[in-house]
Amino acid sequence: MKEIIKHITPEKIYKKRREFIKLGAGALLSSALIKSKLMALDFKSDENLGELKITNEKFATNYVNFYEFSTDKRKAVEYAKNFNTKDWTIELSGEIEKPLVLSMEDLLKFPLEERIYRFRCVEAWSMVVPWVGFELRHLIEKAKPNKNAKFVKFTTLFDKNQFPDQNAIFPTLKYPYVEALRMDEALHPLTLMAVGMYKKPLQGQNGAPVRLVVPWKYGFKSIKSIVKIEFLKEQPKTTWELYAPNEYGFYANVNPEVSHPRWSQENERVLGSFSVQETLLFNGYEKEVSSLYAGMDLKINF
Ligand SMILES: Nc1nc2c(c(=O)[nH]1)N[C@H]1C(S)=C(S)[C@@H](COP(=O)(O)O)O[C@H]1N2
Ligand SMILES: [Mo]
């Protein structure tokens, strides 16, 4: 069969096809790598001591925000189906010992842990997700930041071929999507770089192959599909802050007492149920993180 194809296919196309087959195998490799680790349960599981009620996986993987694909949650899932994460790397630069490029293989060497976290979107819905990932602080230690490094900035992939909204005449947001944390927030043990959820690799729509998860902040801080991390002296502007500074602050700590200008943040709709519950300060992580903001006015630094 191969021989026949070779004869009837011009040499160039034949070669292209072989390249394509090779590409396909490579694409399998990085998700297969994550998959094999997760299937082997090669991570520390979360005993869920807080007895959080985990959201049905179908809701967490279908009700998504990923504007690069689409602002329509259903379309985002559809467009993300063939998201190509082959040869994914994260570039580290800025105020560090020396610039560094890490592959997924490098990242998967950090200790993987399951973390069952509350997740609260600024749109006033919430869920509980069992993520699998590593603490961002491990990556920061490896980057060896110098004394000037006060902020950590993250950037999502920019690829007009893969992200329809980046290719639109009037893109919804200024791309690439960027987010940032203060260094002490980035080093906090709750701050996770997730590669999986529900014991499986992340799917495209949830930010494959690697995304941030900051459980005490509104969901938009948890930037997806990260390709670049920069260590900076000054606080950078972030995507949603640039979009509407009066609506989305740099800190974006979950706070029921600070309303969004167009809606209250006192309550939240629980995904996959008919219930509404009270929103908690720092999304229920007050004990763990409030000291980071001691003496700060959370109404001004929202
Ligand atoms: N690159 C990128 N990251 C992103 C977004 C986005 O549109 N683009 N949406 C954010 C918002 S608003 C939320 S609520 C969470 C949603 O994560 P989930 O879809 O996995 O639940 O991703 C955040 N990270
Ligand atoms: Mo969100």
Side-chain angles (χ1 to χ4, degrees), residues 65 119-123 125 218-220:
N65 276 327
F119 188 98
R120 170 64 157 80
C121 175
V122 77
E123 295 163 343
W125 53 265
Y218 290 118
F220 67 85

Side-chain angles (χ1 to χ4, degrees), residues 10-266:
E11 190 66 8
K12 239 186 175 168
I13 297 176
Y14 176 69
K15 274 200 185 131
K16 270 234 170 86
R17 185 173 296 163
R18 295 208 40 157
E19 281 304 305
F20 181 76
I21 292 164
K22 263 198 263 163
L23 269 174
L28 250 163
L29 209 70
S30 88
S31 68
L33 193 71
I34 302 175
K35 205 169 177 174
S36 68
K37 284 217 140 211
L38 299 189
M39 295 258 287
L41 298 178
D42 196 2
F43 56 86
K44 192 170 141 230
S45 66
D46 186 326
E47 292 166 50
N48 196 10
L49 296 175
E51 296 180 7
L52 294 171
K53 194 174 175 299
I54 294 174
T55 300
N56 185 312
E57 183 181 351
K58 290 223 161 62
F59 286 92
T61 54
N62 285 287
Y63 193 83
V64 303
N65 276 327
F66 202 157
Y67 278 26
E68 287 89 333
F69 285 117
S70 174
T71 57
D72 178 313
K73 291 177 165 62
R74 246 182 320 145
K75 282 188 187 149
V77 173
E78 193 188 315
Y79 297 160
K81 280 223 167 73
N82 298 311
F83 187 54
N84 184 1
T85 61
K86 189 195 177 275
D87 293 333
W88 197 274
T89 56
I90 297 186
E91 204 185 294
L92 307 175
S93 63
E95 301 291 343
I96 55 177
E97 197 179 76
K98 64 171 195 297
L100 208 64
V101 177
L102 299 179
S103 66
M104 284 311 293
E105 208 163 354
D106 297 328
L107 296 176
L108 290 170
K109 285 183 188 134
F110 296 124
L112 291 183
E113 292 180 44
E114 181 180 41
R115 292 286 175 88
I116 300 171
Y117 282 160
R118 291 185 201 86
F119 188 98
R120 170 64 157 80
C121 175
V122 77
E123 295 163 343
W125 53 265
S126 74
M127 57 183 176
V128 172
V129 177
W131 304 102
V132 181
F134 56 88
E135 291 178 1
L136 174 63
R137 60 177 172 163
H138 295 313
L139 187 150
I140 295 176
E141 275 159 30
K142 191 168 171 89
K144 301 200 181 74
N146 61 43
K147 285 198 194 78
N148 292 329
K150 297 286 192 293
F151 293 89
V152 186
K153 179 184 173 186
F154 308 84
T155 304
T156 294
L157 176 70
F158 185 82
D159 182 350
K160 289 184 173 184
N161 293 320
Q162 295 218 70
F163 291 134
D165 197 63
Q166 289 184 343
N167 201 29
I169 298 168
F170 300 107
T172 311
L173 298 171
K174 188 174 175 289
Y175 297 116
Y177 191 107
V178 297
E179 257 309 333
L181 296 171
R182 217 169 55 189
M183 185 55 95
D184 57 345
E185 299 176 320
L187 288 169
H188 195 283
L190 283 175
T191 304
L192 196 73
M193 290 288 275
V195 295
M197 60 200 283
Y198 299 87
K199 306 192 197 294
K200 292 170 215 156
L202 291 179
Q203 292 183 270
Q205 68 268 27
N206 292 108
V210 54
R211 58 113 33 110
L212 186 69
V213 179
V214 195
W216 70 94
K217 293 179 179 283
Y218 290 118
F220 67 85
K221 296 295 288 184
S222 293
I223 179 174
K224 295 174 169 180
S225 306
I226 297 166
V227 292
K228 190 156 63 169
I229 300 180
E230 293 160 278
F231 295 79
L232 306 173
K233 278 186 220 165
E234 313 281 348
Q235 181 177 315
K237 285 271 183 258
T238 57
T239 295
W240 281 100
E241 217 188 339
L242 287 167
Y243 181 83
N246 61 321
E247 298 186 8
Y248 310 102
F250 175 84
Y251 283 95
N253 291 316
V254 174
N255 190 341
E257 287 176 20
V258 177
S259 298
H260 184 282
R262 291 180 280 129
W263 59 85
S264 158
Q265 295 291 22
E266 277 172 46

